[in-house]
Amino acid sequence: MQIKTVGLLIALMLTMVVLVISIDAYKLNKELNSVKTSWVKFNAERSTRYRMLRGLNAVLGYGGMIHNFKNFFIRKDALYLRKAEQSIATAHFIVANYRTIADAEEQLALNEIELMLNDYSISLALVEKLQAVGTNADQISHQVAVNDKQAIKSLLLLQNKSLENSYEQGENVLKGSKLQLLNWLRSGMGYNGMIHNFKNYIIRHDEQYWHSAQRDFAYLSQVLADYKKLTLNNDESQAIQNLQDVIEHYKKNIVLARKLISKGKTVEQIDKVVAINDQIAFDAFSTIGRVINQQNEQESKLVTKTLQTLDRGVEVRTMIIVTLLVLSIVAIMWLLISKIINPISYLTQIMQKLADNKLDTIIDIETGNNEIGIMAKTLKVFKSNAIITLKDAQLIKKIMSSAGEGIYGVDTHGIITFINPKAAQMLGWDENELLGQDIHKLCHYKYLDGSDYPIDDCPTRLAMERCQETEATDEIFWRKNAESFPVEMTTTPLIEDDKVSGAVVLFQDISERKRVERMKTEFISTVSHELRTPLTSIRGSLGLIMGGAVGELPQKAGELLKIASNNTERLLMLINDILDVEKIEAGSMNFQFENLPLMPMIEQVLQDNAAYADQYGVKFVLKTIESDATIYADKGRFMQVMANLLSNAAKFSRENENVEISVVCTHNHWVRISVTDHGFGIPDEFQPKLFDKFTQSDSSDTRQKGGTGLGLSITKAIIEKHNGILDFVSREGIGTTFFVDLPSQAEIKTDELTKDSLASDNQDHETILIIEDDKDVATLLRMMLTQGGYNSDIAYTIGEARNYLRHRTYKAITLDLVLSHENGIEFLEELRNNTSTKDIPVVVVSAKADETKRELNGGALALADWLNKPIDESRLLEVIQQTTSAGKKPRVLHVEDDDDVHTVMAYMLGEHCDLTRTATLLESKKILLKQAFDLVLLDIGLPDGSGLDLLEIIERLTVPPKVVIFSANDVSQQYADKVSAVLMKSKTDNSRLFDTINAIINEK
């Protein structure tokens, strides 16, 4: 029998048991819900609060206090006085009992009701006195009035509270019940209801009571209609009909009263005409209450009977379910043990023997078509594969043992998992001594100078972090006896289930190669020096001959001498480059550092190389300048660097193109000089080797463009001697930007910079993350940012962006919303919901920027700005500059012609912002067009015009500042809508002024 069949049988039995239990539970639950609803209703109707509320409605309303009070008021009958006083006393008693169960909110409501009762007691006494001296009802109505508003609100609150325990599964079980309808009838006819408004209309002749009474009649008609829909006996039907008749009488008589009032009749005269016998309604209420009580008693007996039936049913159901469960468990256990557990136990023993390398174990079990049989067959296949794998492992071990290179494997923590004999031999250890050891701590822990080698810089660690193969051509390993030797190593990460599980390292001792390189260097140095002297003589001689020192030469001889002279110059350039390389490597290149203004040198080198650019049909264009920038440099070497970068840009530019030179001061006192050509770009595969010696992207370049392949290598070495950085951004078909970052000598001395501080400063450059799937656009963005003095990383997918954000901190992000198969909007929301990235400014650079901006209503995701493609470079740099200035003091322009006012503002805001003052309209216009501000504090009355004229200029700025008008003049709504706040000088104290400005300049 197959395990699947066994499982189906077990599932069928369990399903039957569950089905029986479910059906029974459904029936039981249905019965319980019915009982529960009846019980909740039963309790709600008998709850203390509900009973007390019904009592209050009865004693205060129709036939109660308000009814008798009004009758006494009109008819001067002492019987009504006694009934009213008795109703008030009863109401006090009910209120006192209610207080024993009331919460704080109900206590306040009861206070209002007692105040109302006291007011009516006082009013009764006053009415009695006035009647005793012969005052008529019309006169008394002007002297006696009780405000019922708070008491009515309090009764409504108590009514809501009394219904709180009448809800079952979100529904009011009393809704539409006879008891609730009866309560609504009493309240609708009584206090604040029909009788109240009817009597008030007769006494006070106020039309508002007429309208209130009409609403009461409509309400009572609806309640009576709802009551008639219920099942009623004869007594109830007659009582409801009697109530309806009384209400109809009141409805007709109020119309009659209105006519009498219009004829000027007195209250007493009107009352005699419209008086109604209320005893019929009183008897009807008594009859309905009695019937409801009888029906409640019957319902109580029914609930008790139902509970007894459920109790007996539960006992029977329990016995049936227990019997089914026991039978099912016995059947399931038999099936599991005989068909699954015993066979699996046997197979487990077999697997244990195979795990112990007992590959001769015999697998003796029935191999049918069920799962156990398939497992047995699989074990036999596994046994065969294990024998083959063992042979393969032995073969691999032989191959590794015979390999001429060192090979070892590490896990993600750098612990050695395997190593071949050659590696152990080169390191001077036994293989078993190295297994389980940290290779970095054992053999790769320091540099030649004795300084510690950080694990984070180790090529093996970097390969695993970047998930890509890494080559290192100049590393140092240390043997067991503390001797060092140079190695070349390749690290390949091991990837399992899309995760790095370790790495394999292949290395070889390159001591012999280093010795040969030293010999080569010495040879080149010797040859270069031996060639330089005769070439100098040749160069001088050729120069004299071509200059006419030996007379005029034939034309063909002149052409041949020019060729000889040009090639002599090329040979001298090669020799000079070779000597420079040798000096750099030997550390013997001399530098004469001094404080130098940067721009004069830039202008000079552009002038010196202009003729060279003309040869290639290009122009050098100085795009941005920093007139006050200075550097601490060797002038000659710096000029050599710039000449090399400019000549390269000219050679590799397209004809009639411009080569752009930018000079910008970045943060932390660095200066960036960038040279951008719009040529063919550098191939991706060549970029890693660009700064190597004797390298060019295409062998044909040597003939077409000239050069030795040493220029960039020498340039990079010179810049590094200046404690600077040389790097580039390039894309084939777009062009290349080379940039030099040097510490500005306005604040920093070169000898104060260490290796660590230089690395730290480089990391602290304003770094921007570019998220763009189009590689050409991404490169353009990077080149623009580079010219603006910013470093950048490119993420072509959202996954790459997440990885960058996990490992680095960025000053800002540029984001393309339309990414291949990915949603830029969703990633934007992810950034804003992540605590570590929510405050990073994001600039949207997308072909759908405007469309998406409207869709998201501009600022729904707290963006720095929206930029459309094609990209406006100046706008991009302006936005990036503003977003990366977070943490700096906000810049505030104070437009104010009064010296005293500005002095006060400077005192208030000086510590919180950089405050700049202008006193005239013209001066303000000029500074707004030249400088960027976060806020403008604007006075309207200026000597040469209105400050409001500046609003139009501010609106046209690329990133307009916020505006606060602080003026003695009123501002119309037209201008108030354009600014962040309007404050009147005469009405704004210092605290409000400061709080307003501070809130605006600090809001996101």
Side-chain angles (χ1 to χ4, degrees):
M1 185 181 292
Q2 292 187 354
I3 293 176
K4 182 178 181 181
T5 306
V6 174
L8 288 173
L9 287 174
I10 293 172
L12 182 60
M13 285 186 285
L14 290 175
T15 302
M16 290 176 62
V17 173
V18 170
L19 185 61
V20 171
I21 294 173
S22 299
I23 294 172
D24 187 68
Y26 172 76
K27 292 181 178 179
L28 183 61
N29 186 60
K30 189 174 180 181
E31 293 170 353
L32 284 173
N33 282 337
S34 176
V35 173
K36 188 175 181 182
T37 302
S38 299
W39 186 251
V40 171
K41 179 181 177 183
F42 184 77
N43 282 336
E45 291 176 345
R46 287 159 180 75
S47 70
T48 304
R49 280 184 170 83
Y50 198 64
R51 284 187 293 106
M52 288 184 179
L53 180 66
R54 296 204 310 270
L56 272 178
N57 280 334
V59 79
L60 292 177
Y62 187 73
M65 178 200 75
I66 195 65
H67 200 162
N68 291 306
F69 177 84
K70 298 298 182 180
N71 280 342
F72 174 66
F73 190 101
I74 298 169
R75 300 173 185 173
K76 304 177 183 179
D77 188 339
L79 175 63
Y80 294 117
L81 173 62
R82 289 193 299 274
K83 286 183 178 181
E85 290 174 340
Q86 191 175 22
S87 296
I88 290 172
T90 303
H92 275 298
F93 177 76
I94 293 173
V95 169
N97 283 312
Y98 208 134
R99 286 189 183 280
T100 61
I101 61 170
D103 58 22
E105 194 174 10
E106 290 172 315
Q107 293 287 359
L108 294 175
L110 291 171
N111 289 342
E112 295 295 339
I113 293 172
E114 283 199 326
L115 288 174
M116 177 270 293
L117 292 172
N118 293 335
D119 287 346
Y120 272 105
S121 294
I122 295 168
S123 297
L124 274 173
L126 181 58
V127 170
E128 186 179 18
K129 289 180 181 179
L130 292 172
Q131 287 177 350
V133 297
T135 309
N136 61 35
D138 287 323
Q139 294 170 330
I140 294 173
S141 68
H142 291 91
Q143 301 181 47
V144 178
V146 177
N147 188 348
D148 297 288
K149 289 184 179 179
Q150 292 302 320
I152 291 168
K153 289 182 180 178
S154 298
L155 279 171
L156 182 60
L157 182 143
L158 294 179
Q159 179 177 330
N160 292 334
K161 287 281 187 177
S162 69
L163 293 175
E164 284 182 352
N165 68 337
S166 65
Y167 284 86
E168 170 67 15
Q169 296 181 350
E171 293 188 7
N172 186 355
V173 297
L174 290 179
K175 184 177 181 180
S177 70
K178 291 181 179 180
L179 196 61
Q180 188 177 45
L181 291 172
L182 178 61
N183 194 39
W184 287 350
L185 283 171
R186 285 190 180 278
S187 62
M189 292 180 69
Y191 187 69
N192 192 41
M194 178 194 76
I195 196 65
H196 200 162
N197 292 309
F198 183 88
K199 297 293 183 179
N200 277 345
Y201 180 62
I202 293 173
I203 294 169
R204 298 178 182 169
H205 304 169
D206 191 336
E207 283 297 309
Q208 68 171 333
Y209 295 113
W210 160 273
H211 294 296
S212 296
Q214 295 304 316
R215 285 195 298 271
D216 294 334
F217 293 139
Y219 171 73
L220 290 169
S221 297
Q222 182 61 49
V223 174
L224 288 171
D226 291 341
Y227 207 112
K228 287 181 178 181
K229 294 177 183 177
L230 304 177
T231 303
L232 308 177
N233 60 24
N234 293 333
D235 291 341
E236 280 181 291
S237 298
Q238 186 59 49
I240 291 297
Q241 186 60 48
N242 290 341
L243 284 174
Q244 188 168 1
D245 292 343
V246 170
I247 292 168
E248 286 297 323
H249 278 108
Y250 273 105
K251 189 174 181 181
K252 293 177 182 177
N253 285 1
I254 198 170
V255 175
L256 180 57
R258 195 179 198 184
K259 293 179 180 178
L260 295 173
I261 290 170
S262 66
K263 293 179 180 180
K265 299 295 183 178
T266 65
V267 173
E268 290 85 351
Q269 291 171 334
I270 296 170
D271 181 63
K272 288 179 181 179
V273 175
V274 300
I276 295 172
N277 182 8
D278 295 293
Q279 189 59 45
I280 296 172
F282 298 157
D283 294 340
F285 276 123
S286 297
T287 299
I288 294 171
R290 185 184 73 253
V291 172
I292 289 174
N293 287 335
Q294 291 172 354
Q295 291 175 351
N296 283 343
E297 289 300 323
Q298 292 174 0
E299 194 169 325
S300 174
K301 292 177 182 179
L302 179 62
V303 170
T304 302
K305 185 178 179 181
T306 303
L307 287 173
Q308 292 172 349
T309 304
L310 285 174
D311 187 47
R312 289 193 299 271
V314 167
E315 293 177 359
V316 175
R317 292 182 179 103
T318 302
M319 292 179 63
I320 294 172
I321 290 170
V322 169
T323 302
L324 284 173
L325 283 174
V326 170
L327 291 175
S328 299
I329 290 171
V330 170
I332 289 169
M333 291 302 295
W334 179 81
L335 287 170
L336 288 174
I337 292 172
S338 63
K339 300 299 181 181
I340 298 176
I341 295 176
N342 287 341
I344 288 178
S345 177
Y346 174 77
L347 291 176
T348 302
Q349 295 174 11
I350 297 296
M351 285 189 284
Q352 184 62 51
K353 291 179 181 179
L354 293 177
D356 294 336
N357 276 333
K358 296 178 181 179
L359 300 180
D360 57 348
T361 300
I362 298 174
I363 302 175
D364 184 16
I365 191 172
E366 181 183 350
T367 56
N369 291 325
N370 59 20
E371 290 84 354
I372 301 298
I374 293 172
M375 291 172 66
K377 291 177 183 177
T378 303
L379 272 179
K380 290 179 180 179
V381 174
F382 173 79
K383 174 183 173 182
S384 301
N385 290 338
I387 294 172
I388 295 172
T389 302
L390 181 62
K391 292 179 180 179
D392 290 343
Q394 292 171 347
L395 177 61
I396 291 171
K397 187 174 182 180
K398 289 179 182 178
I399 293 173
M400 288 186 64
S401 298
S402 60
E405 293 83 10
I407 304 172
Y408 64 84
V410 294
D411 61 16
T412 55
H413 301 290
I415 304 301
I416 299 175
T417 55
F418 66 86
I419 188 166
N420 74 335
K422 183 64 175 179
Q425 177 191 346
M426 283 191 284
L427 295 171
W429 295 80
D430 184 72
E431 290 180 57
N432 293 328
E433 290 179 311
L434 290 170
L435 292 175
Q437 298 294 320
D438 187 330
I439 184 65
H440 187 80
K441 292 181 179 178
L442 206 65
C443 307
H444 201 204
Y445 52 89
K446 64 180 179 180
Y447 292 102
L448 273 176
D449 61 4
S451 61
D452 291 339
Y453 195 133
I455 182 66
D456 291 336
D457 294 340
C458 177
T460 303
R461 171 63 63 86
L462 294 175
M464 289 190 287
E465 286 181 352
R466 297 170 181 171
C467 197
Q468 63 183 22
E469 183 175 282
T470 301
E471 294 182 0
T473 58
D474 194 14
E475 291 292 319
I476 298 295
F477 275 4
W478 297 84
R479 295 190 174 94
K480 184 177 182 180
N481 60 6
E483 289 182 357
S484 66
F485 63 100
V487 297
E488 183 178 78
M489 60 189 293
T490 301
T491 304
T492 304
L494 297 174
I495 301 174
E496 296 179 5
D497 298 328
D498 295 328
K499 293 183 179 179
V500 175
S501 60
V504 175
V505 180
L506 185 148
F507 71 94
Q508 56 183 334
D509 186 343
I510 57 172
S511 300
E512 181 63 20
R513 186 194 304 172
K514 289 284 185 181
R515 187 183 68 82
V516 171
E517 286 180 355
R518 284 195 300 271
M519 292 174 61
K520 181 186 71 175
T521 301
E522 292 170 0
F523 173 76
I524 290 173
S525 177
T526 301
V527 171
S528 298
H529 282 85
E530 292 299 325
L531 286 174
R532 203 174 190 184
T533 300
L535 278 174
T536 301
S537 300
I538 294 171
R539 180 191 189 193
S541 299
L542 289 172
L544 289 171
I545 295 172
M546 293 175 67
V550 295
E552 185 175 352
L553 298 173
Q555 181 179 356
K556 291 185 177 180
E559 291 175 355
L560 292 173
L561 286 172
K562 185 177 181 181
I563 293 172
S565 176
N566 289 339
N567 282 278
T568 301
E569 293 295 331
R570 287 183 60 189
L571 189 56
L572 276 173
M573 182 175 65
L574 172 62
I575 294 171
N576 288 332
D577 285 347
I578 291 173
L579 289 176
D580 280 345
V581 169
E582 188 272 332
K583 288 178 183 178
I584 291 169
E585 291 180 347
S588 59
M589 180 175 280
N590 293 321
F591 292 87
Q592 300 295 324
F593 289 102
E594 58 181 319
N595 286 317
L596 298 169
L598 179 58
M599 290 314 300
M601 290 191 292
I602 296 294
E603 291 168 357
Q604 180 182 340
V605 77
L606 291 178
Q607 183 178 355
D608 292 347
N609 289 272
Y612 188 84
D614 291 340
Q615 296 178 25
Y616 294 93
V618 299
K619 291 183 180 180
F620 294 140
V621 177
L622 190 56
K623 189 174 181 181
T624 58
I625 64 172
E626 291 285 350
S627 56
D628 297 330
T630 60
I631 57 174
Y632 191 65
D634 181 307
K635 182 176 181 179
R637 294 299 179 186
F638 177 76
M639 298 292 279
Q640 179 183 350
V641 166
M642 291 306 301
N644 199 335
L645 294 179
L646 290 171
S647 63
N648 274 350
K651 284 191 293 186
F652 293 99
S653 287
R654 294 183 174 90
E655 193 172 355
N656 298 322
E657 287 281 2
N658 291 336
V659 173
E660 299 165 355
I661 297 88
S662 296
V663 180
V664 294
C665 289
T666 66
H667 80 308
N668 289 350
H669 314 295
W670 285 70
V671 177
R672 172 168 290 183
I673 306 106
S674 58
V675 179
T676 300
D677 67 67
H678 301 285
F680 305 100
I682 302 169
D684 292 344
E685 64 273 11
F686 182 72
Q687 290 183 13
K689 301 180 289 185
L690 187 63
F691 294 112
D692 293 349
K693 290 176 285 186
F694 300 106
T695 56
Q696 289 187 324
S697 60
D698 187 341
S699 59
S700 63
D701 288 344
T702 305
R703 294 185 178 89
Q704 295 177 4
K705 307 294 184 181
T708 64
L710 291 170
L712 286 176
S713 176
I714 295 170
T715 299
K716 183 176 178 64
I718 292 173
I719 292 300
E720 288 175 350
K721 290 296 183 181
H722 283 72
N723 285 322
I725 300 164
L726 173 63
D727 208 343
F728 68 95
V729 179
S730 183
R731 177 76 177 165
E732 281 191 272
I734 293 178
T736 304
T737 295
F738 279 92
F739 60 93
V740 175
D741 288 346
L742 291 172
S744 168
Q745 291 313 304
E747 299 289 341
I748 302 173
K749 298 295 183 183
T750 304
D751 55 6
E752 293 174 356
L753 291 171
T754 64
K755 177 181 178 181
D756 292 337
S757 67
L758 181 63
S760 174
D761 280 342
N762 187 28
Q763 290 178 355
D764 286 342
H765 266 55
E766 306 283 4
T767 305
I768 313 300
L769 177 59
I770 301 169
I771 306 175
E772 170 63 63
D773 61 346
D774 188 307
K775 293 187 177 182
D776 291 345
V777 175
T779 303
L780 278 172
L781 279 169
R782 194 174 190 183
M783 291 172 69
M784 291 176 185
L785 293 172
T786 298
Q787 292 182 56
Y790 299 97
N791 289 337
S792 57
D793 291 326
I794 297 176
Y796 296 111
T797 66
I798 288 176
E800 290 182 14
R802 291 193 185 103
N803 188 52
Y804 274 121
L805 289 166
R806 278 195 295 269
H807 295 93
R808 294 197 65 177
T809 300
Y810 293 93
K811 291 292 185 180
I813 297 172
T814 71
L815 174 63
D816 183 5
L817 298 177
V818 186
L819 299 170
S820 299
H821 310 296
E822 294 179 298
N823 192 317
I825 294 295
E826 291 181 359
F827 181 62
L828 189 54
E829 293 173 347
E830 178 184 325
L831 291 176
R832 288 296 168 254
N833 293 328
N834 190 324
T835 54
S836 62
T837 59
K838 66 179 182 180
D839 294 325
I840 302 177
V842 177
V843 179
V844 171
V845 180
S846 177
K848 293 187 176 182
D850 286 340
E851 175 186 336
T852 312
K853 181 178 182 181
R854 291 192 297 271
E855 180 182 336
L856 297 181
N857 199 20
L861 295 171
L863 300 176
D865 207 341
W866 303 75
L867 302 181
N868 269 312
K869 294 179 181 177
I871 303 158
D872 184 333
E873 181 177 355
S874 61
R875 174 79 181 278
L876 171 67
L877 293 177
E878 184 175 0
V879 172
I880 291 294
Q881 184 178 9
Q882 290 186 353
T883 58
T884 56
S885 63
K888 299 178 182 178
K889 282 186 178 182
R891 299 197 63 201
V892 176
L893 176 63
H894 186 198
V895 182
E896 174 61 67
D897 61 333
D898 190 296
D899 294 337
D900 293 337
V901 172
H902 175 69
T903 301
V904 173
M905 295 301 299
Y907 177 77
M908 287 172 54
L909 302 176
E911 295 182 0
H912 305 279
C913 64
D914 290 331
L915 195 64
T916 302
R917 180 202 178 187
T918 56
T920 66
L921 184 63
L922 180 60
E923 185 182 1
S924 302
K925 289 180 179 179
K926 289 180 179 179
I927 199 168
L928 279 169
L929 294 174
K930 290 182 178 179
Q931 300 183 30
F933 293 93
D934 299 293
L935 182 138
V936 177
L937 187 59
L938 180 63
D939 185 14
I940 296 176
L942 298 174
D944 54 344
S946 172
L948 295 176
D949 293 341
L950 291 175
L951 294 180
E952 185 178 351
I953 295 174
I954 291 171
E955 288 176 352
R956 290 201 303 266
L957 295 176
T958 304
V959 182
K962 297 178 176 64
V963 179
V964 173
I965 294 178
F966 185 55
S967 175
N969 300 325
D970 287 328
V971 178
S972 67
Q973 191 61 41
Q974 174 190 356
Y975 291 106
D977 291 339
K978 296 183 178 182
V979 300
S980 300
V982 177
L983 303 174
M984 295 293 292
K985 289 182 177 178
S986 59
K987 299 179 181 179
T988 306
D989 58 22
N990 288 353
S991 175
R992 184 187 171 200
L993 176 62
F994 174 82
D995 290 343
T996 301
I997 294 172
N998 191 51
I1000 291 172
I1001 62 179
N1002 285 295
E1003 69 181 7
K1004 295 291 183 185

